[in-house]
Amino acid sequence: MKYPFLQLSDVNVPYAKQLKEAAARVIDSGWYLNGNENKAFEQELALKCNSKYAVATSNGLDALKLIFRAYIELGKLLPGDEVIVQANTYIASILSISETGLTPILVEPCETTFNIDSSLIEKSITSRTKAILVVHLYGTPCWDEKIKNIAQRYNLLIIEDNAQSIGASADTSGINGHYTTGSLGDAAAFSFYPTKNIGALGDSGAITSSDEELIKTIRALANYGSDRRYHNIYKGLNCRMDEIQAAFLRVKLQHLDSESKHRNEIAKTYDTYITNPLIIKPLIFDSMTQVWHQYVIRCTHRSALCKHLEENGVGTDIHYATPPHLQPCYRDFFKSTYPITEQLANEVISLPIASIDNDAAKEIAQIINSFKV
Ligand SMILES: *Cc1c(COP(=O)(O)O)cnc(C)c1O
């Protein structure tokens, strides 16, 4: 394959020297959990995301679950409370809600943003609705006045699933701007799964929030429920980040802006050079800063297009072919149909973005333009 969808070694090779130094530092320190690398990474992440606090965690799903568990421990959410979330998200968003005893309420996405259609939120609100999980899908912030106003009017918590959009911003000032994702709502979860924009060399995640009480509760929950050594105030979990991953992530976080810039350049090249009328391109918004976790095009002849791309040496992926409500594990749980979500699931294709250069993007665009039915 000339242009594989994603080559993780290519993503990490530019940082190999720094990553090896970071690993050596941890190996030599003899300190592998709850140490200085975690502490430093938390401070660096909080600063980068305009948030007061950050907690490093084992992965993104645990980060989401910890936020919901903490709100339950604090009495701000009760088991059975409803959480509104977009129907076309990755299943982990939904799992975090149902796993903590809350009820996910699915809302259709908007076709132009792939994010929740904020005009549909209000009619899904009931007396049990207590939170909205906004998912910044594919690198595009999920944020507008409507979401803010509804949350205020109905007194809803806003939790961000920021697994795909670290460094994005709901205005044009970009990272460190006032509207950086991870600082928009009450709390945010991050994933550093190796394929994410900032990837660890294994599993890792994080939580940001400016709510001190929430952060304290999360820290205790993530460490067996203990507020101090051998003293357990919650029936807690073990959701810590390894020191070695924190050390790796400190290296990668330094390069977040240049990685986002690269993804934006590739997205712009695709946007300029893909002209095939059979393809719907994702929108580049003037009003916000996107970070292009995925560059997702749509085509009603998807399988033929995938075959054409593969025959021409271009790897693709689909995010996601089966939406959560059609997964076997939720078959008896969600009773409605979600036609827009299902249509998107049948039409979306993700193109290579992280590990290709501009010339490759131009060539891939030409291959797409040569597709006919
Ligand atoms: C990756 C991802 C998660 C889960 O993160 P993990 O680190 O893999 O547990 C949650 N939500 C979204 C939207 C994701 O893309």
Side-chain angles (χ1 to χ4, degrees), residues 5-8 11-12 163-164 191-203 252 263 292-294 317 319-320 353-354:
F5 175 68
L6 176 63
Q7 195 81 44
L8 279 177
V11 170
N12 286 314
Q164 301 192 0
S191 167
F192 305 110
Y193 184 80
T195 63
K196 299 289 158 87
N197 287 28
I198 292 295
L201 279 68
D203 271 319
K252 304 276 301 268
R263 285 171 186 265
W292 301 101
H293 175 58
Q294 303 297 353
D317 206 342
H319 301 94
Y320 302 91
I353 190 158

Side-chain angles (χ1 to χ4, degrees), residues 58-62 64 89-90 92-93 135 137 161 163-164 190-193 196 203-205 293 320:
S58 35
N59 57 60
L61 176 56
D62 283 350
L64 283 164
T89 183
Y90 180 54
S93 315
V135 185
L137 203 67
D161 183 339
Q164 301 192 0
F190 295 68
S191 167
F192 305 110
Y193 184 80
K196 299 289 158 87
D203 271 319
S204 287
H293 175 58
Y320 302 91

Side-chain angles (χ1 to χ4, degrees), residues 104-353:
I105 302 295
L106 303 182
V107 170
E108 289 265 54
C110 167
E111 286 187 54
T112 55
T113 61
F114 296 114
N115 283 330
I116 198 165
D117 184 341
S118 55
S119 69
L120 301 177
I121 294 176
E122 196 158 9
K123 53 179 187 215
S124 300
I125 291 178
T126 72
S127 59
R128 296 231 61 177
T129 308
K130 293 289 149 49
I132 306 175
L133 178 61
V134 297
V135 185
H136 309 301
L137 203 67
Y138 305 150
T140 298
C142 176
W143 195 247
D144 60 23
E145 288 300 313
K146 242 181 236 143
I147 295 175
K148 259 196 312 200
N149 291 340
I150 291 171
Q152 240 162 35
R153 195 145 21 96
Y154 293 92
N155 199 19
L156 308 177
L157 294 166
I158 297 185
I159 295 139
E160 297 172 72
D161 183 339
N162 200 25
Q164 301 192 0
S165 293
I166 185 169
S169 175
D171 67 9
T172 48
S173 60
I175 184 91
N176 289 332
H178 188 52
Y179 290 105
T180 308
T181 58
S183 69
L184 298 169
D186 296 286
F190 295 68
S191 167
F192 305 110
Y193 184 80
T195 63
K196 299 289 158 87
N197 287 28
I198 292 295
L201 279 68
D203 271 319
S204 287
I207 294 159
T208 54
S209 177
S210 294
D211 179 341
E212 191 180 353
E213 192 188 23
L214 180 76
I215 288 290
K216 252 172 90 176
T217 310
I218 286 169
R219 272 194 201 289
L221 279 170
N223 195 33
Y224 316 115
S226 56
D227 57 346
R228 54 189 153 87
R229 206 156 182 235
Y230 301 131
H231 187 261
N232 303 74
I233 53 173
Y234 306 117
K235 298 184 194 80
L237 303 154
N238 172 354
C239 302
R240 299 177 299 232
M241 184 190 288
D242 294 331
E243 282 285 279
I244 200 159
Q245 298 299 345
F248 290 146
L249 287 169
R250 292 182 66 199
V251 171
K252 304 276 301 268
L253 192 63
Q254 287 170 20
H255 302 285
L256 172 60
D257 295 0
S258 61
E259 285 289 338
S260 302
K261 191 165 155 251
H262 171 256
R263 285 171 186 265
N264 267 289
E265 274 166 18
I266 302 296
K268 223 181 208 164
T269 302
Y270 279 144
D271 190 61
T272 307
Y273 288 89
I274 297 174
T275 53
N276 190 330
L278 295 168
I279 306 296
I280 302 176
K281 290 177 284 187
L283 291 181
I284 298 178
F285 292 94
D286 292 333
S287 55
M288 52 185 163
T289 309
Q290 294 159 280
V291 292
W292 301 101
H293 175 58
Q294 303 297 353
Y295 187 88
V296 177
I297 59 172
R298 290 169 59 190
C299 180
T300 48
H301 308 279
R302 180 172 65 190
S303 50
L305 175 60
C306 283
K307 191 160 160 268
H308 172 80
L309 283 162
E310 196 183 318
E311 281 167 3
N312 286 281
V314 180
T316 56
D317 206 342
I318 293 171
H319 301 94
Y320 302 91
T322 307
H325 71 279
L326 297 180
Q327 293 287 356
C329 64
Y330 282 126
R331 192 157 285 153
D332 300 320
F333 191 83
F334 296 110
K335 303 261 166 16
S336 307
T337 59
Y338 299 90
I340 296 170
T341 298
E342 287 166 31
Q343 187 187 349
L344 289 177
N346 289 327
E347 294 180 359
V348 292
I349 312 178
S350 306
L351 300 180
I353 190 158

